[in-house]
Amino acid sequence: MRRVLLVLVLAAAFAGCIGDQAAPEGAEVKERMREAVGDLESYRFEIEMDQTVEFHNFDGEGSLEGEMISLHWTGAINLSDQSSAEVSRSRRATLAGNETAEETVEVYFRNQTLYQKMGDDWIGLLQPDPALGIEKIDQLSHLMEMMERSEVAVEGYETDGGRKLIRLKVTPDDDTAYGIMLGQISSVDPRIPLMIDMSALFERGRELDWTVWASEETFLPTESRISTVYSAGPGVLRMPPESPEDLEIRFETLEVRRFGGYNEPVVVVLPQEARGAPVLRPDLPEGANVSSF
């Protein structure tokens, strides 16, 4: 009996020790994520973005117009040899569904050169600084830069397909939040921000929710999900005095970024059509050295 009681006491004490181990704080998780990402040699990503923009009363009498925009973007990056391959497909459709437009863009970065398909033709642009070239494409680095300027809190833990994940609530600083807003609205039409007092919109007409999931084992991010709503109405829209009253532009966006394939082999092979593409050299300062490719 004494032996059983001793076992129970030891088990309770051991369980108490486990229970006293505090879960990592958001700042600690962010630091571990930064370290894990810094050691990567390659990864793959997928980005899906769905946007709806609505124009209320622009034609008077409570009219509603607008469009829906969908983007699907996949890519693979080799950070060791500074190469990448990306394909993005976008679709725009009016809310009425009577007009649609689709576009596919292929981009490859290899041997210091950025290759892009323009319509049916390929063109290349020499990148004098390949490290800077890959930095512009590195989606995971962009995510970590934004998180670095944000407050991160651990919301809980989840299991997905056998993986144990940490769920993080991310609250960006004002500069990062403003950049997200400007980027999402400009992606609809770069002229739209000219119609809006963006500072007023940022102060009075925005909603932003951002969640990131990371592996509990490796601390590498698996998914980032940003949901936003921006409403620009009277006092925010820059419209002529004779414009109808109660005008409003409403933007709603869901942006999901998924990451995986960490340190798996990524070999970037140019399509046959791209290999004969004309390669443009940027204007360089006199005396600048550009290595051969």
Side-chain angles (χ1 to χ4, degrees), residues 36 41 43-44 58 134 140 151 166 199 202 237 243 260 292:
E41 295 182 359
Y43 70 91
R44 300 177 187 275
F58 272 69
I134 204 68
L140 192 53
E151 180 181 334
I166 307 172
S199 296
F202 187 74
L237 285 172
S243 300
S292 60

Side-chain angles (χ1 to χ4, degrees), residues 76-285:
I77 294 182
N78 187 324
L79 298 169
S80 297
D81 71 0
Q82 298 175 331
S83 63
S84 66
E86 307 169 49
V87 178
S88 64
R89 296 178 174 85
S90 60
R91 183 179 186 274
R92 305 176 77 106
T94 60
L95 291 182
N98 55 354
E99 294 182 27
T100 61
E102 298 185 4
E103 182 181 32
T104 299
V105 177
E106 293 181 59
V107 179
Y108 295 83
F109 187 67
R110 189 172 181 271
N111 295 339
Q112 289 186 249
T113 307
L114 186 71
Y115 296 89
Q116 181 170 342
K117 189 175 184 180
M118 311 286 289
D120 294 329
D121 300 319
W122 286 86
I123 192 169
L125 178 63
L126 185 66
Q127 304 289 304
D129 186 348
L132 180 60
I134 204 68
E135 181 181 324
K136 295 177 181 178
I137 302 168
D138 190 349
Q139 297 298 317
L140 192 53
S141 175
H142 296 167
L143 172 67
M144 295 309 301
E145 287 175 6
M146 291 196 301
M147 290 186 64
E148 186 64 28
R149 300 190 296 267
S150 305
E151 180 181 334
V152 175
V154 176
E155 277 196 324
Y157 296 83
E158 299 177 5
T159 301
D160 179 27
R163 299 180 303 174
K164 294 183 178 179
L165 305 177
I166 307 172
R167 187 178 71 250
L168 304 167
K169 174 72 172 181
V170 184
T171 304
D173 68 354
D174 283 351
D175 287 344
T176 302
Y178 188 92
I180 291 172
M181 180 184 73
L182 181 61
Q184 291 184 346
I185 292 177
S186 297
S187 68
V188 176
D189 188 324
R191 297 169 297 180
I192 289 182
L194 301 177
M195 302 167 56
I196 299 172
D197 183 339
M198 297 297 287
S199 296
L201 177 63
F202 187 74
E203 293 296 330
R204 301 188 309 201
R206 66 183 173 106
E207 300 175 25
L208 186 151
D209 184 74
W210 186 4
T211 304
V212 171
W213 287 264
S215 167
E216 186 182 20
E217 178 182 0
T218 65
F219 288 92
L220 289 168
T222 60
E223 184 174 317
S224 168
R225 182 177 293 258
I226 300 178
S227 176
T228 61
V229 177
Y230 305 110
S231 299
V236 177
L237 285 172
R238 292 175 171 149
M239 302 299 291
E242 64 273 14
S243 300
E245 296 180 358
D246 300 328
L247 298 180
E248 181 187 38
I249 306 179
R250 175 184 169 87
F251 308 88
E252 187 168 351
T253 304
L254 175 60
E255 181 181 319
V256 180
R257 298 170 182 256
R258 300 183 181 92
F259 301 93
Y262 289 119
N263 291 328
E264 294 178 357
V266 170
V267 179
V268 176
V269 178
L270 287 178
Q272 186 65 39
E273 300 86 349
R275 296 177 186 179
V279 177
L280 305 179
R281 292 174 175 265
D283 293 331
L284 299 175

